[in-house]
């Protein structure tokens, strides 16, 4: 049973445009959400996170939005750059539990 | 600070053979995790250590997988005997606390079982 779902295996976006990656979760106990970025042959690296007490967190070109009622979050990248081409994992955890549960990932291609 | 070190980077073995992976976490990080990432899927937690004690190994196939973290620093993950479906990237991660950065991952060991 997948608790964190990324339903789009891949996404292609023109350079300079906005990339929107979506994620849904089923466990209402999750209260902390993270996005990781992974290049080939490297481990995932932390990108941005959001606590359930917020609905938006912004860091430079990256913004994460959280809709708790819909159990949905999204990562916006604007403007998209060639170096953003990677696999993006949505992840979640709950207070008091160090475990992070990952989605299957979305491969983002930034087109020139 | 130095990152999470893993070795080897790649390993190819035949089914029924044994294999071991090594992880050196970031200095001072009390919590260490082993994840399995099968191609096309997200990382799946196998085992979590807090210092040298196991916190969660509910997803570890204990009939063939074992892990230890002697002295609460380095860790090894062993598979004996390996099956074809064990082909995956094995990721080690460490953390100091549940902070804004989640875990720090190593580069992983890509295992191919033939």
């Amino acid at each position: 049973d997948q608790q964190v779902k990324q339903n789009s295996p891949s996404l292609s976006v023109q350079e300079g445009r906005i990339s929107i990656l979506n994620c849904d979760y089923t466990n209402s106990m999750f209260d902390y959400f993270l996005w990781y970025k992974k290049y080939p042959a490297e481990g995932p690296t932390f990108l941005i996170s959001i606590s359930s007490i917020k609905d938006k967190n912004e860091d430079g070109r990256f913004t994460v939005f959280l809709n708790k009622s819909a159990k949905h979050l999204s990562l916006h990248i604007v403007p998209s750059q060639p170096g953003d081409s990677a696999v993006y994992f949505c992840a979640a955890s709950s207070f008091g539990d160090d475990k992070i549960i990952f989605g299957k990932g979305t491969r983002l291609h930034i087109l020139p | 600070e130095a990152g999470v070190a893993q070795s080897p980077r790649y390993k190819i073995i035949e089914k029924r053979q044994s294999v071991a992976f090594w992880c050196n976490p970031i200095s001072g990080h009390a919590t260490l995790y082993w994840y399995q990432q099968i191609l096309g899927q997200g990382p799946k937690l196998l085992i979590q250590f807090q210092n040298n004690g196991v916190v969660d190994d509910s997803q570890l196939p204990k009939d063939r997988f074992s892990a230890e973290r002697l002295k609460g620093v380095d860790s090894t993950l062993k598979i004996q005997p390996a099956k074809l479906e064990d082909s995956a990237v094995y990721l080690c991660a460490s953390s100091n606390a549940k902070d804004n950065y989640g875990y720090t991952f190593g580069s992983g060991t890509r295992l191919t079982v033939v």
Side-chain angles (χ1 to χ4, degrees):
Chain A
D1 177 36
Q2 263 200 294
Q3 299 184 66
V4 179
K5 300 177 183 179
Q6 293 178 259
N7 293 319
S8 298
S10 67
L11 175 68
S12 294
V13 174
Q14 206 76 35
E15 181 179 356
R17 300 283 186 120
I18 182 171
S19 296
I20 300 177
L21 294 93
N22 293 302
C23 176
D24 297 294
Y25 61 96
T26 58
N27 188 340
S28 56
M29 298 300 291
F30 286 149
D31 63 352
Y32 193 68
F33 304 90
L34 310 94
W35 284 93
Y36 281 80
K37 177 179 179 179
K38 185 181 183 302
Y39 291 121
E42 294 183 15
T45 55
F46 170 80
L47 189 59
I48 191 169
S49 65
I50 188 167
S51 163
S52 61
I53 63 173
K54 294 185 174 182
D55 55 17
K56 175 183 174 181
N57 188 26
E58 189 173 351
D59 183 2
R61 297 186 298 113
F62 303 91
T63 304
V64 56
F65 295 92
L66 175 62
N67 182 334
K68 282 178 292 185
S69 60
K71 293 192 178 70
H72 176 84
L73 62 154
S74 60
L75 174 68
H76 292 213
I77 307 173
V78 56
S80 299
Q81 297 176 355
D84 297 331
S85 294
V87 176
Y88 289 79
F89 291 103
C90 174
S93 67
S94 52
F95 180 77
D97 187 349
D98 289 337
K99 286 199 301 289
I100 294 179
I101 308 300
F102 287 84
K104 287 187 175 183
T106 296
R107 183 176 298 277
L108 176 64
H109 300 270
I110 304 302
L111 306 170
Chain B
E1 63 180 1
V4 176
Q6 287 189 249
S7 67
R9 287 300 307 273
Y10 305 93
K11 191 75 177 177
I12 301 174
I13 62 171
E14 295 182 351
K15 60 184 179 184
R16 292 187 289 273
Q17 283 188 321
S18 303
V19 65
F21 314 126
W22 174 81
C23 173
N24 181 236
I26 290 175
S27 177
H29 278 194
T31 311
L32 184 147
Y33 312 83
W34 282 101
Y35 277 80
Q36 179 194 57
Q37 187 187 358
I38 293 173
L39 186 64
Q41 297 184 22
K44 184 186 87 170
L45 179 69
L46 292 175
I47 189 168
Q48 175 186 351
F49 290 94
Q50 181 76 17
N51 297 309
N52 61 346
V54 175
V55 174
D56 185 348
D57 63 357
S58 58
Q59 303 263 46
L60 188 74
K62 298 179 189 65
D63 57 334
R64 298 183 301 106
F65 286 64
S66 64
E68 61 182 11
R69 191 183 182 198
L70 300 175
K71 300 180 183 178
V73 181
D74 293 6
S75 177
T76 55
L77 175 69
K78 297 179 182 177
I79 308 175
Q80 179 180 10
K83 292 185 175 181
L84 295 176
E85 58 261 36
D86 298 332
S87 295
V89 175
Y90 291 84
L91 294 161
C92 178
S94 69
S95 71
N96 196 23
K98 185 178 167 181
D99 56 25
N100 285 339
Y101 301 97
Y103 309 157
T104 301
F105 281 91
S107 297
T109 296
R110 180 175 295 279
L111 173 67
T112 302
V113 183
V114 297

